[in-house]
Amino acid sequence: MNKAFVSPLRYIILALVALLLGAGAPAQAQAPKDGSVLEDRFVRFQAKRGLDLLYDMQFEKAERLFTQVDRRYPNHPIGPFLNALNTWWKILLDLSDTSHDEAFYQEMDEVIARADRLLSKDADNFDAMFFKGAALGFRGRLRSNRRDWLKSASDGKRAMDYVLAVARKDPSNHDYIFGKGLYDYFADVMPDKYPFAKPLMVFFPKGNRERGLTALKRTAEQGYYIKTEAVYFLLQIYYIFEEDYEQSVKYVSWLRREHPDNAFFHAFEGRVYARWGRWDKASPIFREVLKRFQAKWPGYEPAIGEQALYYIARDHMN
């Protein structure tokens, strides 16, 4: 069965991650001297459209839009980063499948290389810090899933420095505070939930649970590029750490309304109800997941089908 949460150590990495940013005119353009390419109208339109397609499991259509962004800014880290998100979601649908790992690492390595070239010219380049932090965070997440703990921790620590710097530079931006909010929450709750983490956390800034939740909710309500990702992380937080299933249902219901064809969110909805003991809700959801898998809907991979069968079998046992 596809497991979204491999090890408690993964959350140490998550606490350090600048998660998803997100996310025509084919002519190349120079990155704005003042501000970020994320403020470019073309980028805002194409990247947001591409992210919506990605969350709806339409990977090829999303890739075409992301490629247009890369052609417009060929030396900027945004292009390979957006394309890496496509690969990331293919991995997320079945974490036991390692066939996409190499492509993902290469894409994120290219993000870091482009960011480093920008930083060599300007150590305070905002976009370079943002995308390098995000790339390191994502690379660390996959390495933690693959149990490459030392490299994962190294990526997480390096990502944190950029995440916090980005949040300090523009705390008014609803997207940019997301990484800081994630850090604040996990840095506070991790030591209590997993005591073995306490010695490690002495090397990191102190977190704040409430401040973290406030920042994440702000991104979920008012963010532009990473609104969906913020909602997804709030779902994970309330499902795993807070064990508040009413709040979990609130966030998973939003994800299902906004992205009804997302197989991962579809199965997650069933898991929330199953853990809550609401099998009258969970069973029909998993039967629909299984039906879509059998009909070969995009994104409904064998791991998702296995997950549906597992929960349907548990319902029969009940």
Side-chain angles (χ1 to χ4, degrees):
M1 185 178 64
N2 183 24
K3 295 183 179 180
F5 311 101
V6 176
S7 163
L9 186 56
R10 178 179 178 190
Y11 295 105
I12 298 176
I13 306 306
L14 293 178
L16 309 176
V17 170
L19 253 298
L20 277 173
L21 177 79
Q28 295 182 5
Q30 295 296 319
K33 293 182 179 180
D34 298 314
S36 166
V37 298
L38 298 172
E39 303 301 325
D40 181 293
R41 291 183 180 180
F42 176 82
V43 172
R44 286 178 67 84
F45 181 71
Q46 296 294 80
K48 185 62 168 63
R49 282 180 62 208
L51 286 172
D52 288 340
L53 289 168
L54 182 157
Y55 285 122
D56 288 333
M57 309 281 98
Q58 299 184 51
F59 298 121
E60 291 183 3
K61 291 182 179 179
E63 184 178 2
R64 286 197 289 269
L65 294 180
F66 294 156
T67 299
Q68 291 180 29
V69 174
D70 191 36
R71 287 174 179 168
R72 185 173 178 85
Y73 293 104
N75 300 313
H76 194 281
I78 188 172
F81 181 78
L82 290 172
N83 280 315
L85 296 186
N86 244 354
T87 309
W88 170 252
W89 266 89
K90 294 173 185 177
I91 294 171
L92 194 61
L93 290 172
D94 184 359
L95 285 172
S96 67
D97 179 5
T98 61
S99 63
H100 301 292
D101 287 15
E102 188 59 32
F104 178 79
Y105 286 134
Q106 289 179 359
E107 288 162 344
M108 286 304 183
D109 286 348
E110 177 63 17
V111 174
I112 294 169
R114 291 190 186 187
D116 283 340
R117 286 196 288 271
L118 293 177
L119 289 170
S120 68
K121 299 175 182 177
D122 176 8
D124 292 322
N125 186 289
F126 181 85
D127 282 3
M129 290 191 294
F130 183 88
F131 285 103
K132 184 174 181 178
L136 287 167
F138 269 105
R139 195 173 69 179
R141 287 178 67 186
L142 183 56
R143 283 175 168 171
S144 70
N145 286 329
R146 303 309 184 216
R147 301 180 183 279
D148 191 349
W149 307 124
L150 291 178
K151 289 184 178 179
S152 177
S154 175
D155 279 346
K157 177 62 174 68
R158 292 171 64 197
M160 182 192 69
D161 296 334
Y162 292 108
V163 172
L164 301 183
V166 166
R168 286 194 298 268
K169 273 185 170 291
D170 191 357
S172 65
N173 187 292
H174 307 307
D175 284 328
Y176 298 159
I177 64 166
F178 174 65
K180 177 64 162 56
L182 201 62
Y183 178 83
D184 271 334
Y185 179 83
F186 282 109
D188 193 4
V189 304
M190 274 292 301
D192 291 332
K193 193 167 183 68
Y194 301 109
F196 79 89
K198 287 184 178 180
L200 298 174
M201 296 310 295
V202 300
F203 299 104
F204 301 109
K206 185 175 178 60
N208 183 293
R209 173 183 173 276
E210 291 302 325
R211 186 173 64 205
L213 285 174
T214 297
L216 293 173
K217 289 177 180 178
R218 180 177 145 196
T219 303
E221 293 168 1
Q222 303 178 64
Y224 181 77
Y225 287 105
I226 52 176
K227 184 183 185 78
T228 294
E229 193 69 16
V231 174
Y232 167 48
F233 265 86
L234 284 167
L235 165 61
Q236 293 184 86
I237 284 170
Y238 282 108
Y239 177 75
I240 296 175
F241 287 89
E242 301 293 319
E243 297 183 351
D244 184 334
Y245 302 122
E246 288 189 20
Q247 286 295 310
S248 299
V249 166
K250 169 186 172 182
Y251 290 114
V252 79
S253 295
W254 186 93
L255 291 169
R256 292 285 292 127
R257 285 194 305 271
E258 294 296 315
H259 306 287
D261 296 332
N262 185 299
F264 187 83
F265 296 154
H266 196 177
F268 209 142
E269 182 182 31
R271 285 162 49 199
V272 170
Y273 282 114
R275 179 175 285 191
W276 200 5
R278 297 289 305 276
W279 289 97
D280 59 318
K281 296 280 190 180
S283 186
I285 291 171
F286 282 115
R287 291 184 186 280
E288 178 62 23
V289 170
L290 182 61
K291 183 178 178 180
R292 292 187 180 188
F293 162 69
Q294 293 170 335
K296 302 185 185 303
W297 280 45
Y300 286 78
E301 302 294 331
I304 298 291
E306 291 173 6
Q307 188 176 154
L309 285 168
Y310 169 77
Y311 281 101
I312 291 171
R314 283 187 57 188
D315 186 36
H316 284 312
M317 290 176 65
N318 290 335

